[in-house]
Amino acid sequence: MAASDPWRAECFALLTGKPDDVFVCGDSFEALYERFRAVIENYDSVICASDYAAISLVRRLQQDGYPIPEKLYLISYGNMALSQLMRPSITSISDGYEEFGRAALSISSLIEKNPSISTVNIQLHCQLNIRETTENRPLPVSAEDEAAEPELENRFFKDPEISNLARLETLFQQCDEIDMALIQQLLNGDSYAQMTEKSFISETAVKYRIRKMEKTCGVGTRMDLVRFLKDFLERS
């Protein structure tokens, strides 16, 4: 988890009763991974505070040839599009935004009618999306009191790997069916003319969509975009 989330670190430490079992990201995710990798045989499961951390952990373990979920179960938080596209796909908790909204309205109404109230405790349920990193086995439903929005200013999200994952997540969230088809055609090495023919849109529209993808991913050329996508997809 990010160093900017000390309250989460404290909560995890209280739950486990073992502060040494909580790994907090300091200067880089690379350093965090090395600390965890050195003692990984002590664990059979891990809970990541965000999908960004989970995706990075899975990719690094795959590079090291460490089998997931055979030797390590993994659960994360956020239910990002990338967590579903990963192989293995990541078991992840998603926020119940509608329930959050209803609860906020109820609390607002309660406080308006009872101005003397200073504290309100409420428990909300979240959805556990079970996938391959837990062998698709049902697990106890978890609940979070509050989900912190990613803050790109903190050091965790300034890590180059996490920053790239954030760009990819934004890209896939923005993609429609045509964009997804264009991404596949880019990876196949198709020319603009071939993409125009296959997608049934004009070449101008194809180039516009690809330039938009380049901007989202923070790259300057079509070839840079292809390399950026392959770096994730070929290691997933």
Side-chain angles (χ1 to χ4, degrees):
M1 66 185 64
S4 61
D5 284 344
W7 66 272
R8 285 194 181 186
E10 292 176 6
C11 288
F12 275 104
L14 287 172
L15 286 171
T16 64
K18 299 177 180 179
D20 290 343
D21 288 343
V22 180
F23 295 82
V24 178
C25 184
D27 294 332
S28 70
F29 202 85
E30 174 72 29
L32 172 64
Y33 174 73
E34 292 301 327
R35 294 203 310 273
F36 177 68
R37 187 68 177 87
V39 295
I40 194 171
E41 298 300 335
N42 296 334
Y43 303 97
D44 59 13
S45 60
V46 61
I47 300 174
C48 294
S50 75
D51 280 349
Y52 291 113
I55 292 167
S56 180
L57 177 59
V58 169
R59 282 156 53 91
R60 291 176 185 277
L61 289 174
Q62 287 176 330
Q63 291 172 21
D64 284 351
Y66 198 88
I68 297 176
E70 291 82 0
K71 294 188 67 175
L72 188 76
Y73 271 22
L74 185 145
I75 298 176
S76 185
Y77 189 88
N79 197 37
M80 291 166 38
L82 289 177
S83 69
Q84 303 169 52
L85 293 171
M86 286 286 294
R87 289 296 176 268
S89 56
I90 295 174
T91 294
S92 185
I93 299 167
S94 56
D95 295 315
Y97 291 113
E98 291 184 4
E99 189 175 358
F100 287 176
R102 287 193 295 269
L105 289 173
S106 297
I107 293 172
S108 176
S109 177
L110 177 65
I111 293 176
E112 184 178 359
K113 294 176 182 178
N114 302 274
S116 60
I117 293 178
S118 59
T119 303
V120 176
N121 293 323
I122 187 168
Q123 183 175 359
L124 300 176
H125 295 286
C126 298
Q127 176 67 39
L128 179 63
N129 303 282
I130 300 170
R131 301 193 181 100
E132 294 170 347
T133 55
T134 54
E135 295 185 314
N136 294 305
R137 293 183 180 181
L139 296 173
V141 175
S142 300
E144 290 283 350
D145 292 334
E146 182 180 354
E149 289 292 329
E151 297 180 3
L152 296 179
E153 292 78 17
N154 67 47
R155 285 184 294 179
F156 179 78
F157 282 94
K158 285 184 178 180
D159 185 280
E161 180 182 3
I162 302 303
S163 178
N164 285 340
L165 288 175
R167 292 190 181 99
L168 273 172
E169 173 66 12
T170 300
L171 172 66
F172 285 124
Q173 285 184 347
Q174 293 176 348
C175 283
D176 58 18
E177 291 184 6
I178 294 176
D179 290 327
M180 293 301 290
L182 289 176
I183 287 174
Q184 186 59 59
Q185 291 157 20
L186 278 171
L187 295 173
N188 291 340
D190 288 0
S191 65
Y192 283 127
Q194 290 172 316
M195 286 187 278
T196 297
E197 182 178 354
K198 292 178 181 179
S199 302
F200 302 103
I201 59 176
S202 69
E203 184 169 325
T204 299
V206 169
K207 290 181 178 179
Y208 170 78
R209 285 173 176 265
I210 291 176
R211 281 197 298 270
K212 187 177 178 182
M213 293 180 196
E214 292 169 357
K215 183 177 180 180
T216 299
C217 294
V219 299
T221 68
R222 173 181 160 185
M223 292 307 300
D224 288 338
L225 176 62
V226 171
R227 283 191 289 268
F228 186 82
L229 292 168
K230 283 186 174 182
D231 182 62
F232 171 77
L233 296 174
E234 290 184 350
R235 289 194 284 169
S236 300

